Amino acid sequence: MNFENLSQTWQNQHNLTSLPKTEAVVATAKQKMSNFKKEQLISISVLSLTFLILVVFYFSIGAHQNISKSLGLVLMIFMLFTRIALEIRSKIQLHKMDSTLNFKDFVSKHKRYFRNRKWIHFVFSPFIYLFYVGGFVSMLPVFKETLSTGFFLYIQISGIVVFVALALFIAYHIKKELQELQFLNEVLRS
């Protein structure tokens, strides 16, 4: 190899300063993890507020006195409770991940957490959503029986709009969370 080829090869190499520095990658990973924890807390808070509203509604309308007519509402409340329990379990699992562990153990725990979140999103979430919608649909005959035609029509239309918007919202946040978790997974691989 002559000097010109050596010089050309040297100039064609990637500039080492363009590669991300370890500190920058770690800082980005920590920021994403921090954002993820905040978003998880917000999710638990919103789900808990919705749960409380439904429970208060359940008792305020006296639904506990006629369980056959309020079975749909009970199903909705139970599905919210189930999702809250899954999120709290996941949050506890996330907080148990100690970044001071040796790298192999930390990666192992992160991979387990990543698998659990995928399981929650692709198995539990669809079932919870479908049962929640099913609870609402099972309440429609009660609404038709007790409400005016106009208000019943409003509940049907707004219910469809809310559930479609909720499905899109959930899908967006699942995609966003999985992208962040995938980023962390990639960082831990390198």
Side-chain angles (χ1 to χ4, degrees), residues 24-137:
V25 171
V26 169
T28 303
K30 283 184 178 181
Q31 181 62 40
K32 286 192 178 282
M33 191 64 96
S34 176
N35 289 344
F36 180 68
K37 287 177 181 180
K38 288 177 191 171
E39 288 175 5
Q40 199 172 37
L41 183 62
I42 290 170
S43 293
I44 291 171
S45 300
V46 168
L47 289 169
S48 297
L49 180 63
T50 307
F51 173 80
L52 289 173
I53 289 170
L54 286 179
V55 168
V56 168
F57 178 71
Y58 178 82
F59 286 106
S60 69
I61 64 169
H64 59 285
Q65 296 169 351
N66 191 351
I67 195 74
S68 64
K69 287 189 176 184
S70 65
L71 202 53
L73 188 56
V74 170
L75 184 60
M76 292 171 72
I77 291 169
F78 181 71
M79 290 298 103
L80 278 173
F81 178 78
T82 302
R83 182 59 193 221
I84 292 167
L86 286 171
E87 288 299 320
I88 289 173
R89 179 180 172 266
S90 186
K91 187 168 179 57
I92 290 169
Q93 185 183 20
L94 181 64
H95 281 287
K96 283 185 177 180
M97 270 197 272
D98 184 6
S99 59
T100 62
L101 289 174
N102 67 50
F103 187 72
K104 184 179 177 183
D105 290 341
F106 182 75
V107 169
S108 173
K109 284 185 180 240
H110 180 271
K111 285 182 179 181
R112 190 174 327 122
Y113 179 79
F114 188 59
R115 278 193 310 272
N116 287 344
R117 290 304 293 175
K118 286 169 83 174
W119 185 258
I120 287 170
H121 290 318
F122 295 121
V123 176
F124 286 110
S125 289
F127 281 115
I128 289 171
Y129 181 79
L130 289 174
F131 279 110
Y132 189 83
V133 171
F136 177 79
V137 169

Side-chain angles (χ1 to χ4, degrees), residues 134-149:
F136 177 79
V137 169
S138 72
M139 290 175 50
L140 289 176
V142 175
F143 291 150
K144 186 175 184 176
E145 181 182 302
T146 58
L147 301 173
S148 68
T149 306

